[in-house]
Amino acid sequence: MDITPDSIIYWQWQWINLNATIVFTWLVILILVLGSWLITRTLSIDPPLSRWQVALEIIIEQINQQIRDASQQKADQFLPFIGTLFLFITMANLLTIFPVYQSPAGSLSTTAALALCVFVAVPIYGIKNVGITNYLRHYIQPTPVMLPFNLISEISRTVSLAIRLFGNIMSTSLLVAILISIVPLFFPAVLTLFGLLVGVIQAYVFTILAMVYIASGMNLQQRKTGNNQS
C-alpha cells in the first residue's frame, strides 16, 4: 500500500527520480491546458452557446463570487491565480476515481509547492496594491518588537496550508485503500465518492484561505494608510 505517490517510482537515474507525483501532476496540467484550449477556441457571445462554454462561465462566475466575498474587492486581478489553484487541486482530486491514479495533493512536496505559491503571492499582491513601504511597515506594527512574531506568523500559516491539504487528501486515500482490502466492494465505492467530495471541499478551503491571506495583507495596509491620512 503506497501512502503517498512519492513512493511510486517509474524511472530512476542516479539521484533523479520520476515518481507518480510528477507524472500525475503533468497529467493534470495537460488535461487543464487541453481542456482550456478546446473550450475557449470556440467562444461566442451570441447564442446558442456550447454546453462547455456555459459550464466554464458558471465555474468562473462562482469563483469570482467567492473571491468577492472573501476579499470585498473586484475579482479580476485575483482570478488567474486563485482560479488556477482551485481548478488544479480540484482536477487533481477528482481524477482519483480512476484506480491507477493517485492525487498529487497526496504528496507533501506538491502541497508545499502550492503553499509556497501563496506565500509569494501575498506580498506581490500587497506591494502591487499598497506599495512596498506600506506593505513592509505592517511587520513592525504596533511595535518593532513584533517583527519576528509577524514573520513567524507568515511562515506558520504557509506550513499549515501545506499540511492541511496533504493530511486530508492522504488520509482519505489511505482509508479507502484499507477498506477495499477488508470489506466488500460496495462500501469502498461509496467512500470513494465521498473522497471526491472531500477533494473538492479541500480545493475550496485551500483557495479561500489563500484569498483571505492575500486580502488581509492588502486590507490591513489600506486601513493603516487611511488612518494616517485622516
Side-chain angles (χ1 to χ4, degrees):
M1 181 184 301
D2 298 301
I3 298 178
T4 169
D6 287 340
S7 61
I8 305 174
I9 307 298
Y10 293 126
W11 178 82
Q12 183 175 6
W13 182 71
Q14 296 183 3
W15 54 272
I16 302 175
N17 293 327
L18 183 64
N19 57 31
T21 300
I22 297 174
V23 172
F24 293 141
T25 298
W26 289 347
L27 175 63
V28 173
I29 294 173
L30 180 63
I31 291 174
L32 290 176
V33 170
L34 288 179
S36 299
W37 177 73
L38 289 174
I39 295 174
T40 58
R41 66 174 181 166
T42 57
L43 289 181
S44 173
I45 58 175
D46 299 320
L49 304 179
S50 68
R51 289 177 294 177
W52 288 108
Q53 180 176 342
V54 173
L56 180 62
E57 291 181 358
I58 292 174
I59 293 172
I60 291 177
E61 180 54 35
Q62 289 300 314
I63 295 174
N64 279 334
Q65 184 60 50
Q66 295 302 318
I67 292 174
R68 288 191 291 266
D69 292 342
S71 65
Q72 300 301 312
Q73 300 184 48
K74 293 183 178 180
D76 297 350
Q77 64 173 321
F78 307 110
L79 179 63
F81 178 66
I82 298 298
T84 300
L85 278 179
F86 177 76
L87 291 177
F88 174 82
I89 300 173
T90 300
M91 181 60 66
N93 293 334
L94 289 179
L95 289 177
T96 54
I97 194 172
F98 298 103
V100 298
Y101 173 89
Q102 289 197 37
S103 173
S107 165
L108 186 58
S109 59
T110 299
T111 59
L114 294 172
L116 185 60
C117 290
V118 177
F119 178 79
V120 174
V122 170
I124 288 178
Y125 279 105
I127 293 172
K128 176 183 176 182
N129 285 270
V130 302
I132 186 169
T133 301
N134 288 327
Y135 180 79
L136 294 178
R137 187 178 298 157
H138 90 277
Y139 286 110
I140 57 173
Q141 297 292 338
T143 170
V145 177
M146 294 300 296
L147 176 61
F149 298 101
N150 287 328
L151 292 177
I152 291 173
S153 175
E154 294 279 348
I155 296 173
S156 62
R157 70 186 185 185
T158 301
V159 173
S160 70
L161 267 180
I163 294 178
R164 179 187 293 107
L165 180 59
F166 164 72
N168 282 284
I169 300 304
M170 185 270 292
S171 61
T172 302
S173 299
L174 182 60
L175 182 59
V176 171
I178 292 174
L179 288 175
I180 287 176
S181 64
I182 62 177
V183 299
L185 179 62
F186 175 75
F187 184 68
V190 173
L191 193 59
T192 298
L193 296 177
F194 175 74
L196 296 180
L197 177 61
V198 171
V200 175
I201 292 175
Q202 290 304 315
Y204 173 80
V205 170
F206 187 97
T207 51
I208 286 298
L209 287 176
M211 188 65 253
V212 169
Y213 293 158
I214 292 172
S216 63
M218 294 169 52
N219 292 337
L220 178 64
Q221 299 313 314
Q222 290 171 347
R223 289 196 297 268
K224 289 180 178 177
T225 303
N227 292 335
N228 291 336
Q229 291 176 347
S230 61

